[in-house]
Amino acid sequence: GSEKKTDEVLKTVYDVVSQLGFRTPKQKAGFRCMARQTIQTKKAVKRFSDEELLTYRVCDDRAIEGCLKLLSRTAAIACSVGSVNDMVFISMLMCYISLAKGFTKYSAISFVAFGLVLTKMGDDKAGRRFGRLALEISDRFQAKECDGETVFIYYAFIHHTSKPMQELLDPLIESIQLAKAGGDIENSHHA
């Protein structure tokens, strides 16, 4: 059924990413694999100030950009089917790849996903930090196809931890408009 298809998608995506030189599971990510990637990514991110991240080098490798796009779509699939370990693993891996290879327009989604995971792990302050950085990275690249998803994830899952819910309506409406403007039907629907 659909679980088998999801497993096939994850295996294929992990095979593609491993061909680019990044360590991935052979099948679905287990807890240890997810935890290892989380620790590795948190250590990598710790070395940078916000200013350094906002001016981080740009990656012009189309394979890496395509990899991050593929991973962002796969993280959404993993989330929608309840494969939490895979969603967390992929979110952390996206951020790690951005730091290892340089930023692309999909790095905004990488960092907002990283912020989401940190927020869900109880580190609201770090989650908000990386969520705000993701919004600024999105602005830097003027990536219309990433804006809707980045804004939606930030305001729906991160921002509300420090602000009243009433402040979320306008940004969520904006995320719908951004997603539509960028041709992102999936996120214009979710928002």
Side-chain angles (χ1 to χ4, degrees):
S2 64
E3 186 174 330
K4 185 177 180 185
K5 289 214 182 279
T6 301
D7 291 350
E8 289 173 19
V9 167
L10 289 168
K11 182 182 181 329
T12 301
V13 169
Y14 290 153
D15 286 346
V16 168
V17 175
S18 70
Q19 290 175 21
L20 292 171
F22 295 97
R23 187 175 178 183
T24 61
K26 299 214 183 312
Q27 299 277 327
K28 292 178 75 164
F31 179 79
R32 282 186 171 170
C33 180
M34 180 269 301
R36 183 175 42 249
Q37 187 63 54
T38 300
I39 292 166
Q40 183 179 25
T41 303
K42 287 175 91 172
K43 282 182 183 177
V45 166
K46 229 180 219 185
R47 300 178 308 187
F48 299 97
S49 69
D50 290 2
E51 294 75 26
E52 290 171 318
L53 290 171
L54 290 173
T55 58
Y56 203 67
R57 74 181 188 278
V58 173
C59 175
D60 58 2
D61 184 336
R62 294 180 57 95
I64 296 299
E65 183 174 10
C67 174
L68 290 173
K69 180 179 182 179
L70 178 64
L71 286 169
S72 75
R73 300 288 38 104
T74 307
I77 291 168
C79 184
S80 70
V81 298
S83 185
V84 175
N85 286 343
D86 287 293
M87 192 279 294
V88 171
F89 173 80
I90 293 167
S91 298
M92 294 294 168
L93 181 61
M94 289 169 54
C95 192
Y96 185 80
I97 290 171
S98 291
L99 291 171
K101 297 295 184 178
F103 286 5
T104 75
K105 59 187 168 188
Y106 295 99
S107 297
I109 297 171
S110 302
F111 278 90
V112 79
F114 182 60
L116 166 63
V117 170
L118 293 174
T119 299
K120 294 298 179 187
M121 292 175 131
D123 192 348
D124 294 346
K125 183 178 177 183
R128 285 189 305 275
R129 173 187 175 212
F130 289 104
R132 285 190 304 271
L133 283 168
L135 296 174
E136 292 185 51
I137 291 167
S138 186
D139 286 346
R140 174 183 173 192
F141 283 91
Q142 298 179 348
K144 291 195 180 301
E145 64 268 34
C146 301
D147 287 347
E149 183 172 2
T150 303
V151 171
F152 174 70
I153 291 172
Y154 178 70
Y155 284 100
F157 299 106
I158 300 170
H159 180 77
H160 74 278
T161 62
S162 66
K163 302 289 182 184
M165 294 295 279
Q166 298 88 331
E167 291 184 22
L168 298 179
L169 186 56
D170 289 339
L172 288 174
I173 291 170
E174 177 189 8
S175 76
I176 294 169
Q177 294 164 343
L178 290 169
K180 285 181 181 177
D184 183 356
I185 303 303
E186 179 184 357
N187 285 294
S188 67
H189 170 74
H190 286 300

